[in-house]
């Protein structure tokens, strides 16, 4: 059993962290961590749509996910959860005009 803290970060360095979330699994796919993050933010109403939007944004590089010092590029890649795992969602800002 471990804990995950979700951190939103921007390219300017601004950071906002969630309260730690207890995760009973030791290993799980990034897709599941994203799903749990979405569930925390949306609750049961609107969850499916919000999850689809989040996964689509990840697929089009709308944000990067860093676990520890490692970027996870595949939503099906397995992530190891330890006693204090930080999962950073780095929001990328598109250039003006494209």
């Amino acid at each position: 059993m471990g804990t995950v803290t979700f951190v939103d970060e921007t390219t300017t360095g601004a950071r906002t962290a969630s309260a730690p979330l207890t995760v009973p699994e030791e290993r799980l796919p990034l897709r599941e961590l994203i799903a749990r993050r979405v569930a925390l933010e949306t609750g049961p109403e609107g969850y499916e749509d919000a999850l689809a939007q989040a996964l689509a944004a990840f697929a089009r590089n709308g944000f990067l996910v860093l676990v520890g010092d490692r970027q996870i590029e595949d939503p099906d890649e397995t992530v190891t959860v330890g006693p204090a795992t930080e999962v950073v969602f780095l929001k990328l800002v598109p250039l003006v005009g494209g």
Side-chain angles (χ1 to χ4, degrees):
M1 183 179 315
T3 60
V4 172
T5 300
F6 296 116
V7 178
D8 288 332
E9 189 170 330
T10 65
T11 54
T12 62
R15 291 171 55 96
T16 305
S18 70
L21 173 69
T22 300
V23 176
E25 300 90 348
E26 193 173 296
R27 298 172 53 86
L28 67 164
L30 176 62
R31 177 184 307 278
E32 180 60 27
L33 280 175
I34 292 172
R36 292 183 191 190
R37 162 79 189 268
V38 169
L40 283 174
E41 293 183 0
T42 63
E45 231 175 272
Y47 166 77
E48 293 295 329
D49 288 338
L51 178 57
Q53 289 175 12
L55 291 172
F58 180 73
R60 69 175 182 275
N61 294 320
F63 61 92
L64 302 176
V65 177
L66 306 169
V67 178
D69 59 354
R70 198 168 65 94
Q71 180 180 342
I72 309 297
E73 297 179 13
D74 181 351
D76 295 316
E77 185 172 338
T78 299
V79 174
T80 301
V81 178
T85 302
E86 185 176 87
V87 178
V88 176
F89 291 81
L90 178 60
K91 184 175 182 184
L92 302 177
V93 180
L95 296 174
V96 175

